[in-house]
Amino acid sequence: MRTRRGVCYPKVNMCIENRLVVKRRRDISGIGEHMGRRKRSKLSPEFTAHKPDLFDCLPDDLLISILCKLSSSAASPADFVNVLITCKRLNGLGYNSLVLSKASPKMLAVKAQNWSESAHRFLKQCADAGNVEACYTLGMIRFYCLQNRGSGASLMAKAAISSHAPSLYSLAVIQFNGSGGSKNDKDLRAGVALCARAAFLGHIDALRELGHCLQDGYGVKQNIAEGRRFLVQANARELAAVLSTTPSALTSGGWLTWNPLPHHRHPVAGTGCPLLSDFGCNVPAPESHPANLFLTEWFSSEGGVPGSGLRLCSHVGCGRPETRRHEFRRCSVCGTVNYCSRACQALDWKMRHKAECTPVERWIDEDGENDGNVNGENGFGNGDDDDQIMMES
């Protein structure tokens, strides 16, 4: 386009188009550079590396404290195992000696059907960490199931030194019966001393065993009044333990019943308070210790026979087997049951045997030998107050 003077205007459109093209090229090149930078940023290790979360920032001491609380309150081994398999860090910290030392009895309740070398190793680690429950459980398993008498007794002794009442009472039963040895290996005084220590710690079975020992003069000087006091204390503690867990038992009133059987040597005239009897109130049996449950399951899987000519304790919650023939003493009335201790006799008497016991003049042993003598090593005698008292000549 020309002006009046004949001067031509510059081609604006062309310039604008050229400028736009240049701008567009610049923009496109900028976009390309930006996209290139963005691509490179995706491959940068700064963004591809794993970012640590809050769990990784927690100190080990805090996690160990949490695991200690968990192991002490675990209701089964699975509760603790589920935590260990969560991640490698928890799996490593879960085997810390402080965590294993706080493990509860229910966490250590290994089933006999699941027994393996790894379970044995885990209990050994807990015992080495100072867990008294693991020492007792593994000691019982080694002594009675694996027949490693020395190692099992030493583990129970380790727990007994730490004032573990079940270990003290189990060692007392071993001393009374001479388990793992011969009849001449019995140490009645040592058994009474161990029982007294467990009774001082409030162990109900030890209180009842010590009461009968004092009444009968078994391993200690006879003191009937003191023995009766221990029996009443055992009955009261047993009733209190049941009522604290199941208060509804108080309203039933069945625990106050006291029904003497007609074939007892010294029947009691009328009725009386069951707290004053040798066997206490008719309350539900207490929950067995995981170690006793393991023994029961272990020998049940073997047909209920621990060995040739050997017998199990007739109390279903005990599981202890004989370590030699005629180690346990029998009921002198029927001869069909045998017990490792007076405590097992007391529980089985009021739970089951009281309704089944029938007098037999002569009863035959499994070998066909007559074993009807009341005053033998394996005999029981009947006492006053609707109770049976174990006696040994």
Side-chain angles (χ1 to χ4, degrees), residues 12-28:
V12 179
N13 292 337
M14 291 295 294
C15 294
I16 292 175
E17 288 177 0
N18 291 336
R19 289 177 183 174
L20 289 175
V21 169
V22 172
K23 284 183 179 178
R24 284 175 185 172
R25 285 177 181 174
R26 288 177 182 174
D27 292 342
I28 292 171

Side-chain angles (χ1 to χ4, degrees), residues 70-320:
L70 176 65
S71 64
S72 62
S73 60
S76 66
D79 291 346
F80 191 69
V81 172
N82 291 335
V83 175
L84 296 184
I85 63 178
T86 304
C87 64
K88 285 186 177 181
R89 190 181 182 196
L90 287 179
N91 191 13
L93 295 177
Y95 287 96
N96 185 278
S97 59
L98 187 60
V99 177
L100 297 179
S101 66
K102 302 292 184 181
S104 64
K106 291 185 177 180
M107 177 183 151
L108 303 172
V110 182
K111 298 289 185 182
Q113 59 185 2
N114 299 330
W115 180 253
S116 62
E117 187 60 34
S118 60
H120 193 172
R121 186 167 52 251
F122 176 73
L123 286 177
K124 183 66 168 59
Q125 289 178 343
C126 293
D128 292 340
N131 191 307
V132 292
E133 286 291 342
C135 290
Y136 174 63
T137 301
L138 185 58
M140 291 281 284
I141 292 173
R142 285 186 177 180
F143 189 89
Y144 289 108
C145 300
L146 306 182
Q147 297 184 6
N148 191 346
R149 316 292 188 195
S151 176
S154 63
L155 282 171
M156 285 188 277
K158 181 180 178 181
I161 292 173
S162 301
S163 298
H164 187 249
S167 297
L168 288 164
Y169 177 70
S170 293
L171 289 174
V173 172
I174 291 174
Q175 295 294 334
F176 282 136
N177 296 323
S179 300
S182 64
K183 180 180 177 180
N184 298 327
D185 292 326
K186 293 182 180 182
D187 193 342
L188 303 185
R189 291 192 176 187
V192 171
L194 291 166
C195 246
R197 178 60 181 167
F200 176 77
L201 297 172
H203 196 269
I204 297 173
D205 293 342
L207 283 167
R208 183 165 286 122
E209 188 79 20
L210 184 60
H212 282 294
C213 288
L214 287 168
Q215 278 193 332
D216 303 339
Y218 187 73
V220 67
K221 185 178 179 180
Q222 188 175 24
N223 190 335
I224 297 177
E226 189 70 9
R228 175 58 57 185
R229 185 178 71 83
F230 278 110
L231 291 175
V232 172
Q233 187 178 353
N235 297 336
R237 282 182 175 271
E238 182 182 44
L239 180 61
V242 172
L243 295 181
S244 64
T245 55
T246 55
S248 59
L250 183 62
T251 59
S252 63
W255 57 274
L256 285 172
T257 58
W258 199 27
N259 303 318
L261 298 181
H263 63 264
H264 280 176
R265 292 182 176 180
H266 304 284
V268 180
T271 59
C273 178
L275 284 174
L276 302 178
S277 69
D278 287 356
F279 288 77
C281 306
N282 294 327
V283 294
E287 184 179 0
S288 300
H289 193 277
N292 297 99
L293 293 177
F294 185 94
L295 297 183
T296 303
E297 295 175 1
W298 179 276
F299 292 108
S300 296
S301 62
E302 297 182 0
V305 180
S308 177
L310 303 179
R311 303 167 296 190
L312 291 173
C313 180
S314 296
H315 175 44
V316 293
C318 176
R320 288 184 179 90

Side-chain angles (χ1 to χ4, degrees), residues 331-369:
C331 174
S332 61
V333 177
C334 63
T336 59
V337 294
N338 52 90
Y339 304 103
C340 66
S341 63
R342 291 167 173 82
C344 286
Q345 182 208 6
L347 290 172
D348 191 62
W349 171 253
K350 62 185 178 182
M351 293 293 110
R352 179 184 64 89
H353 189 57
K354 183 177 182 178
E356 301 175 357
C357 185
T358 55
V360 176
E361 293 297 331
R362 293 167 62 88
W363 37 271
I364 308 273
D365 195 6
E366 288 89 345
D367 301 334
E369 299 175 358

Side-chain angles (χ1 to χ4, degrees), residues 34-50:
H34 182 64
M35 289 179 65
R37 286 199 301 269
R38 186 177 295 173
K39 247 180 181 178
R40 287 194 297 271
S41 67
K42 285 182 179 179
L43 299 175
S44 175
E46 180 179 328
F47 290 90
T48 55
H50 172 67

